[in-house]
Amino acid sequence: MSDADPAQVSDRAVQRGQGQVGSLGSGNHFLEVQAVDHVYDEPAAEAFGLRPGQICVMVHSGSRGMGHQICTDHVRVMERVMPRYGINVPDRQLACAPVSSPEGRAYLGAMAAAANYARANRQLLGEAARRVFARVVGRRLDLVYDISHNLAKIETHRVDGVDKRLCVHRKGATRALPPGHPDLPADLAGVGQPVLIPGSMGTPSYVLTGVAGSPAFASTCHGAGRAQSRTQAAKSVRGKELRDQLEAQDISVRGASMRGLAEETPQAYKDVSAVVESAEGGGLCRRVARLVPVGVVKG
């Protein structure tokens, strides 16, 4: 992101990021080997480089501790200045400032720097996967798409018949550009943006594409979403038991801890197929391909 301003990133955030670049992280972050088991839209799948039976790797990781620290630092600043701008919020997590204010510009510059760090992080993870596949199976991996979510971007959208510049903050959402959008590269202009929607380590994931006329500023869900807290999930199954269940389904699982695996049990997530069907029915996206897990690495 060209508007990144590293000067707005604190020394503490830099320190946290230095030791974590090239790492997955914990929680719902993962590297998953998947197989394409169904194609819904053949022209779009072909444009994305996807075909039935193909093996893919999906990575979910971001700006790690650096991004978390950037958020913490700038939320504190915004909490202090909100009274100056006449802003009241019901929860400190909603702390904010006008986009054009010094505090708003500082945050956007730091957040863009975190997004660039996240992209570098995923590039390293992708390169590690490429080297393993090249060594073990003698085949190369080609990139389908790389995109950040939990990100605010200045974009132009039509509101009440008028084009307006908006700050679109996608939290728990991801961008889904429609066919013909000017920000798409030429090879995707006719089909729209690839949208990567993970399910859980025991359920399918989806590749979608954006659609014209989206009522959500060219956005859709970015995953199944949790149905249980991590504490509830850990109480419902033991990590070793879950690993045995998944391996009985021919899904190989590797995790940093058994507790971490239990917290991410498939039962802790909503039905991703129902979530995607709802998003598609709401005019936010359309299905291109479904992928099923073969092997999962949890940080």
Side-chain angles (χ1 to χ4, degrees), residues 29-275:
H29 297 119
F30 64 83
L31 184 150
E32 186 166 296
V33 181
Q34 304 168 335
V36 179
D37 83 326
H38 190 81
V39 169
Y40 301 93
D41 185 326
E42 290 186 3
E46 184 177 358
F48 296 169
L50 299 175
R51 62 185 184 276
Q54 182 181 20
I55 291 296
C56 302
V57 174
M58 183 180 288
V59 175
H60 176 211
S61 187
S63 54
R64 306 289 283 109
M66 175 182 169
H68 191 281
Q69 189 65 46
I70 285 172
C71 179
T72 298
D73 293 340
H74 288 268
V75 162
R76 287 172 180 163
V77 171
M78 291 181 185
E79 280 185 307
R80 291 197 301 267
V81 303
M82 281 194 300
R84 182 191 311 166
Y85 297 112
I87 296 174
N88 294 291
V89 295
D91 188 311
R92 70 177 299 268
Q93 296 278 347
L94 300 175
C96 57
V99 170
S100 59
S101 68
E103 296 81 14
R105 291 196 301 269
Y107 172 66
L108 290 175
M111 183 201 58
N116 289 344
Y117 173 97
R119 179 161 294 186
N121 187 35
R122 290 191 297 272
Q123 286 176 344
L124 289 173
L125 292 166
E127 179 60 21
R130 286 187 186 93
R131 293 182 180 184
V132 169
F133 269 75
R135 184 177 73 246
V136 176
V137 299
R139 298 291 294 272
R140 62 172 284 125
L141 295 174
D142 295 315
L143 180 66
V144 174
Y145 208 63
D146 180 13
I147 191 169
S148 298
H149 62 265
N150 292 352
L151 186 68
K153 295 191 75 175
I154 306 299
E155 300 174 348
T156 300
H157 293 277
R158 180 148 290 226
V159 180
D160 297 330
V162 179
D163 286 343
K164 293 187 176 182
R165 295 285 285 168
L166 306 174
C167 182
V168 182
H169 189 184
R170 296 179 176 95
K171 172 65 177 174
T174 190
R175 193 181 67 177
L177 297 179
H181 194 281
D183 289 345
L184 287 171
D187 58 338
L188 298 177
V191 294
Q193 178 205 310
V195 181
L196 312 177
I197 307 296
S200 72
M201 54 187 170
T203 61
S205 295
Y206 286 83
V207 178
L208 317 175
T209 188
V211 295
S214 167
F217 306 112
S219 307
T220 190
C221 60
H222 85 85
R226 294 194 74 97
Q228 295 180 347
S229 70
R230 288 186 168 85
T231 300
Q232 290 172 324
K235 290 179 178 178
S236 69
V237 65
R238 299 179 66 86
K240 185 179 184 305
E241 176 188 354
L242 174 61
R243 186 181 65 185
D244 292 344
Q245 291 173 2
L246 292 171
E247 293 192 347
Q249 302 172 42
D250 291 329
I251 302 171
S252 180
V253 180
R254 298 293 180 269
S257 71
M258 289 299 159
R259 166 79 186 202
L261 286 182
E263 290 176 351
E264 294 297 302
T265 177
Q267 288 72 30
Y269 286 87
K270 299 173 187 174
D271 181 344
V272 66
S273 297
V275 170

Side-chain angles (χ1 to χ4, degrees), residues 276-294:
V276 167
E277 184 177 350
S278 297
E280 188 174 33
L284 305 181
C285 56
R286 77 173 186 277
R287 284 172 285 190
V288 173
R290 184 178 66 204
L291 304 90
V292 293
V294 176

